[in-house]
Amino acid sequence: GVQPPVRGLRASPRARSAMPSWVIDRYGCNEVLRFTRNMVFPTILFPNEVIIKVHAASLNPIDLSMRSGYGATALNMKRDPLKLKSAGDEFPLTLGRDVSGVVMECGLSVSYFKPGDEVWAAIPPWKQGTLSEFVVASGNEVSFKPKRLRHTEAASLPYVGLTAWSAVNQVGGLNQSNCSGKRVLILGASGGVGTFAVQLVKAWGAHVTAVCSHDASTLMKKLGADDVIDYKSGNLEEQLKTLPLFDFILDNVGGSTEKWALDLLKKWSGATYVTLVTPFLINMDKLGVADGMLQTGFTVGSKTVKHLFKGVHYRWAFFMPSGPSLDEIAELVDSGKIQPVIDQVFSFSEVPKAFLKLEGGHARGKTVIDVISKK
């Protein structure tokens, strides 16, 4: 029979030291992606960590950014705050932030999970990613996978779900008890974050106006958007100005939109504009770390003050890993209020193809990698 695991030892007596993984050895275009069978097997370094056997992963725009080296300054500072390693030590680097899979072993202080549990998580960008057979995560980043989803479906949600959650709930202050009847505008509604945000505020009873390209309007209606506006048909600004003012705007697009979109908010009523397009990582790369932080702080400060005089709140949001938030998201999924929106599922051998698909843009929903099917 199988020996029961002895606490304090590994949950799996294994002699493995390597695993299959997709890695990059330098930043660049798609040809930097390399498949290897001898990526270092993850080890538990902290007592709150778990090792997850990856069943499925999915791609997000941040994977393209990281492949190209965007944000490398900031991420390396986070990986190695004391600057103990030499430059280039971040390689080989595994991309992929989303995981749905099964807990394989647990650190000594993990009481919430045990080997065999089906879980999902979004792994922060300064850690090795999920395009790999196994990945290590902190227990506080992990949550039980929604029961009604298969792994390939579940893997599509954590990163975009937590990004939307951070923007709408933590930064934007919306929740199930204050959303009823609020008018919400979502710019860039057909991407991964957008499709999640539409369903989330809809589940909480808001009236949702979704802005996307025309070919996504059927999808938007299916997800429950009340008004769908095609940003290509005529002047978007003019179209939106004919509508009643909004209580909340979520901006996934950024750029010139900001100049006029704030005027679409109700004044002096606590209305909030939250943008996910932050110059934080770009500034870090251009200006170096300390200056990058200063400049970023200055931009946020001056923008916030400027808009407060106009009677609206202006906020930035970004992805934050969180097991507890994923627990709440799992509840919404299992109660049928949020469903995954998947554009295409690729096998583990097709990762470069999946990156090309993501790079082509205009996906309706997520690009998922089925890691476990070894075809």
Side-chain angles (χ1 to χ4, degrees):
V2 180
Q3 290 291 306
V6 182
R7 264 299 167 219
L9 296 173
R10 301 184 170 155
S12 50
R14 41 155 220 261
R16 302 194 47 172
S17 58
M19 62 175 176
S21 213
W22 280 94
V23 299
I24 62 174
D25 304 296
R26 57 191 168 90
Y27 298 118
C29 300
N30 229 25
E31 70 271 9
V32 300
L33 291 165
R34 168 173 75 89
F35 179 75
T36 173
R37 294 199 176 280
N38 20 352
M39 184 58 175
V40 184
F41 203 92
T43 45
I44 287 178
L45 296 175
F46 299 99
N48 71 333
E49 288 180 327
V50 298
I51 292 177
I52 300 170
K53 182 168 176 55
V54 180
H55 282 236
S58 80
L59 295 184
N60 295 286
I62 187 171
D63 292 303
L64 289 174
S65 306
M66 286 179 67
R67 186 205 65 195
S68 311
Y70 161 91
T73 315
L75 294 173
N76 282 335
M77 180 177 89
K78 187 82 188 180
R79 287 181 190 116
D80 181 24
L82 302 176
K83 298 234 192 306
L84 301 174
K85 300 174 183 158
S86 56
D89 253 5
E90 69 261 42
F91 302 116
L93 179 64
T94 306
L95 302 175
R97 310 276 44 107
D98 286 310
V99 56
S100 181
V102 174
V103 174
M104 198 183 129
E105 78 183 68
C106 299
L108 294 180
S109 72
V110 176
S111 53
Y112 204 60
F113 303 103
K114 60 186 188 313
D117 286 343
E118 299 205 325
V119 293
W120 63 342
I123 313 287
W126 51 88
K127 295 188 181 177
Q128 285 290 28
T130 60
L131 295 177
S132 202
E133 193 180 10
F134 295 91
V135 70
V136 70
S138 304
N140 56 2
E141 292 161 357
V142 179
S143 159
F144 291 107
K145 170 181 88 63
K147 292 180 183 53
R148 70 188 300 166
L149 298 186
R150 297 192 294 274
H151 286 293
T152 43
E153 297 171 313
S156 70
L157 288 172
Y159 191 87
V160 294
L162 288 170
T163 303
W165 188 267
S166 151
V168 169
N169 175 264
Q170 283 153 322
V171 175
L174 298 184
N175 57 52
Q176 58 191 38
S177 59
N178 67 10
C179 250
S180 183
K182 281 211 165 120
R183 289 182 51 80
V184 173
L185 171 67
I186 297 178
L187 301 162
S190 61
V193 176
T195 53
F196 188 95
V198 167
Q199 296 181 81
L200 179 62
V201 293
K202 209 55 227 165
W204 288 343
H207 176 286
V208 178
T209 303
V211 175
C212 55
S213 67
H214 169 69
D215 53 338
S217 60
T218 323
L219 169 64
M220 285 301 119
K221 286 280 186 225
K222 200 181 106 200
L223 296 179
D226 300 280
D227 295 329
V228 182
I229 293 181
D230 172 8
Y231 68 86
K232 289 179 183 151
S233 70
N235 182 324
L236 178 60
E237 187 181 348
E238 298 308 317
Q239 288 185 78
L240 288 169
K241 280 191 172 149
T242 63
L243 300 174
L245 293 171
F246 294 95
D247 299 287
F248 186 87
I249 298 177
L250 176 62
D251 184 359
N252 292 292
V253 181
S256 60
T257 323
E258 253 183 39
K259 295 190 176 52
W260 49 265
L262 280 132
D263 296 333
L264 304 170
L265 287 170
K266 295 175 183 166
K267 304 283 180 279
W268 308 110
S269 65
T272 306
Y273 183 96
V274 175
T275 177
L276 284 161
V277 187
T278 65
F280 184 63
L281 290 172
I282 292 187
N283 280 353
M284 294 280 257
D285 280 344
K286 283 208 199 108
L287 305 167
V289 174
D291 296 345
M293 287 189 160
L294 278 173
Q295 177 138 346
T296 302
F298 179 72
T299 323
V300 178
S302 55
K303 276 193 176 175
T304 309
V305 166
K306 186 176 93 194
H307 296 308
L308 269 177
F309 282 124
K310 296 187 192 167
V312 297
H313 298 285
Y314 177 95
R315 303 267 188 277
W316 280 356
F318 27 82
F319 161 78
M320 290 192 290
S322 164
S325 297
L326 279 175
D327 292 344
E328 298 198 52
I329 291 169
E331 235 171 88
L332 286 163
V333 171
D334 277 333
S335 66
K337 295 192 168 128
I338 287 184
Q339 45 188 313
V341 183
I342 293 170
D343 189 87
Q344 203 174 342
V345 179
F346 292 87
S347 70
F348 195 42
S349 59
E350 301 175 307
V351 163
K353 216 194 253 183
F355 267 85
L356 287 177
K357 165 91 194 172
L358 181 66
E359 215 159 5
H362 300 298
R364 298 289 152 255
K366 293 295 300 287
T367 303
V368 173
I369 315 287
D370 184 348
V371 174
I372 209 119
S373 67
K374 294 280 186 283
K375 61 174 191 282

